Amino acid sequence: MGLSFTKSFGEDDLHQSHKLLDRLDKITADSVHHFAKNFLSAETVPDFQDIQIETCNRCNNDCPFCPANRNNDTRKPRFMDEELFYSIIDQLYAMDYHGTISLFSNNEPLLDGRILKFVEYARKRLPNAVHYLYTNGILLNAEKFSALVKNLDVLIIDNYDDNFQLIPSVEKTLSTAPAPYDISSAKVVTGLAAYARLSDSECDVRVDLRKKNQRLSLLANNSPNRRDEQNKFRPTSPCIYPFKQMIVRPDGTTAKCCNDPLTDMVTGDLNTHTVREVWRGRAYQDFRKEIFFNGRKNLKGCEFCDTFGLAMYIPSLQTAAAEFKRLADEMTRRKNLGAIYIFDTTQQSKQLFIKFKVLGVNFDGLVNVRDEPCDENYPCADLQSVVAERAFMLIPTPHYADDIFDFLQAAGYQYRRDWLIYTYDIN
């Protein structure tokens, strides 16, 4: 709530060893099959839970990891027709849409001069949805900031600077922002903060301090500054995105996922079909079946993609709460697992601890791998003790690493039976 600062990717490149990628690949296969088999067998295709609407397809930054940066973008410049935009929002209203929505995808939304009125309209028509937006902050000012926080649940400012300093426009905007968004009242958040509606009256504003010259994921084999690593890792798992997420481009076409900035695959056209017709249409269903039954090997971009979408395996906090209650009951019946812990003592882990407690899931504590002092609000135990107790562990996605997997494997821990990777999304 209010203003917070994060370093979501830290100071190092996002480097994942092939050993770790292979493990995540196997975990993803298990997770997606668990989720998607019900999706494909449903009598009616379930609605998406996240929609990103790109109202313009340009960015004003030159981040070397992004294929849509202003120097590399090969797309024809396009702004969405207003009639089409309003039609999409009105269709979502008729669907009683209550998932997450962003008027952003692979672009800078503030380049569209209509974005403030679009955000306002979306909020009015979709009061039960969770509204979020990303911006690089270059065009941000006090007036735009004020208008955005009135109509958003979450505003993420990706502040790109190799020295982790606020860029001038962001610093100027926040220096004059009223409480609780003024710099003096900001919190520092470690780990990836979760996207969630924290209050009915306040927007959660996050300034993500990020290095511009950084090597991140391959972005479906499209990342310009990782050309030397392309075509080297070939995952075998399916992907969760086609079952959860709809990406709309300014011309009304839909792309296969958020990691497809240049739209290698068109899954539908909202100029000629409704939102639900596209989502339930043959192109989307054929794509889902291909990636579910055959993995990524036959799909351009997907075949070398190192994005796993594990954070989207369980679609919402409510669904996750039901899943963990089931796990707790199962552990009680087996009698050899009697406790549930959340891994690590970061701010995100503490958020999960409190959120699930509100939803009726009482975790026994946090796994303390940082030798931090524990308190009554967040009881904790060291990793060795938790494993010796045969307790179940929930691991938020920013914290997995080879050494953790090695330790769990040596201890005989099995994925889903003894531990689970999870990061809650915006719902």
Side-chain angles (χ1 to χ4, degrees):
M1 192 179 300
L3 177 67
S4 61
F5 291 91
T6 70
K7 285 186 182 179
S8 68
F9 295 104
E11 299 187 9
D12 300 320
D13 292 341
L14 183 63
H15 173 73
Q16 294 175 325
S17 69
H18 276 261
K19 179 182 176 183
L20 179 56
L21 289 172
D22 286 338
R23 282 172 159 168
L24 293 177
D25 193 27
K26 290 182 176 64
I27 292 167
T28 301
D30 179 275
S31 298
V32 175
H33 277 100
H34 181 79
F35 177 84
K37 67 182 179 182
N38 297 323
F39 187 104
L40 290 173
S41 63
E43 194 169 313
T44 302
V45 175
D47 288 332
F48 45 87
Q49 296 163 0
D50 178 53
I51 184 169
Q52 298 176 16
I53 304 172
E54 194 177 72
T55 66
C56 69
N57 65 354
R58 277 294 176 274
C59 185
N60 54 351
N61 217 335
D62 57 355
C63 305
F65 58 79
C66 181
N69 74 55
R70 70 186 185 213
N71 296 327
N72 284 15
D73 202 336
T74 59
R75 299 174 294 181
K76 181 180 178 181
R78 183 69 185 259
F79 286 81
M80 181 175 282
D81 293 337
E82 291 196 21
E83 184 178 354
L84 175 61
F85 173 79
Y86 291 125
S87 172
I88 294 170
I89 299 300
D90 290 344
Q91 289 178 60
L92 294 174
Y93 167 80
M95 292 166 55
D96 189 26
Y97 182 69
H98 54 271
T100 58
I101 179 170
S102 177
L103 307 189
F104 156 88
S105 188
N106 302 105
N107 68 317
E108 169 48 51
L110 296 185
L111 284 172
D112 189 339
R114 310 164 298 173
I115 195 65
L116 300 181
K117 71 174 183 179
F118 282 172
V119 168
E120 182 179 13
Y121 186 79
R123 163 59 79 193
K124 287 181 178 177
R125 293 292 277 168
L126 305 171
N128 297 320
V130 178
H131 298 255
Y132 70 104
L133 192 75
Y134 282 80
T135 174
N136 59 35
I138 293 175
L139 296 177
L140 195 64
N141 58 33
E143 181 181 0
K144 293 173 185 175
F145 181 83
S146 176
L148 288 172
V149 297
K150 286 179 182 177
N151 293 298
L152 292 173
D153 295 297
V154 184
L155 173 63
I156 302 98
I157 304 171
D158 280 330
N159 183 97
Y160 292 105
D161 181 88
D162 284 343
N163 296 313
F164 296 111
Q165 300 299 308
L166 291 179
I167 64 173
S169 55
V170 172
E171 184 174 24
K172 183 177 181 180
T173 298
L174 297 180
S175 65
T176 59
Y181 307 117
D182 56 307
I183 291 180
S184 62
S185 62
K187 304 181 294 292
V188 176
V189 178
T190 58
L192 287 173
Y195 308 153
R197 176 179 289 164
L198 301 178
S199 167
D200 289 331
S201 59
E202 289 181 3
C203 176
D204 184 17
V205 178
R206 301 170 193 168
V207 181
D208 200 348
L209 303 173
R210 301 178 58 175
K211 291 173 67 175
K212 179 183 286 189
N213 292 288
Q214 194 168 27
R215 292 158 71 92
L216 301 177
S217 71
L218 282 169
L219 290 174
N221 229 28
N222 288 311
S223 184
N225 70 347
R226 287 190 62 184
R227 301 289 187 201
D228 59 321
E229 297 179 61
Q230 291 178 357
N231 306 329
K232 292 183 178 179
F233 174 72
R234 188 186 287 268
T236 60
S237 65
C239 179
I240 199 67
Y241 287 136
F243 301 91
K244 274 211 60 178
Q245 180 190 78
M246 175 177 271
I247 306 297
V248 185
R249 301 303 185 200
D251 63 357
T253 59
T254 55
K256 63 177 182 279
C257 77
C258 56
N259 283 325
D260 183 22
L262 306 181
T263 315
D264 291 332
M265 176 190 293
V266 174
T267 53
D269 188 345
L270 297 181
N271 294 288
T272 55
H273 295 81
T274 67
V275 170
R276 268 198 174 135
E277 286 172 347
V278 167
W279 181 248
R280 297 174 177 176
R282 181 170 180 176
Y284 250 124
Q285 283 295 78
D286 286 349
F287 175 40
R288 293 182 188 116
K289 290 175 182 177
E290 175 64 32
I291 206 165
F292 181 76
F293 291 110
N294 299 317
R296 314 181 191 201
K297 61 185 179 182
N298 299 322
L299 296 165
K300 181 183 178 183
C302 303
E303 76 270 45
F304 298 109
C305 184
D306 59 355
T307 297
F308 295 100
L310 286 169
M312 305 182 79
Y313 151 57
I314 300 177
S316 70
L317 276 172
Q318 287 73 20
T319 308
E323 174 80 354
F324 296 134
K325 283 180 181 177
R326 183 191 64 76
L327 283 168
D329 291 341
E330 193 175 296
M331 286 180 238
T332 301
R333 286 195 302 272
R334 291 206 311 261
K335 295 184 178 179
N336 63 328
L337 290 173
I340 307 178
Y341 282 83
I342 297 178
F343 188 81
D344 213 344
T345 51
T346 64
Q347 182 66 30
Q348 186 197 34
S349 295
K350 291 176 180 177
Q351 286 178 349
L352 280 172
F353 188 91
I354 296 300
K355 286 284 185 180
F356 282 120
K357 187 174 183 179
V358 171
L359 292 169
V361 182
N362 291 309
F363 284 86
D364 292 85
L366 304 176
V367 180
N368 192 348
V369 292
R370 299 169 184 268
D371 296 324
E372 295 181 351
C374 301
D375 61 56
E376 59 182 14
N377 294 319
Y378 305 103
C380 56
D382 62 73
L383 181 59
Q384 288 77 12
S385 299
V386 170
V387 170
E389 189 184 352
R390 304 302 299 171
F392 186 89
M393 278 196 300
L394 179 68
I395 303 182
T397 53
H399 310 299
Y400 48 60
D402 277 333
D403 58 340
I404 299 301
F405 285 148
D406 286 339
F407 183 86
L408 294 178
Q409 183 175 341
Y413 263 52
Q414 295 180 20
Y415 183 73
R416 187 177 294 286
R417 191 197 73 178
D418 304 313
W419 62 280
L420 187 69
I421 285 179
Y422 176 62
T423 297
Y424 64 94
D425 203 27
I426 301 176
N427 282 319

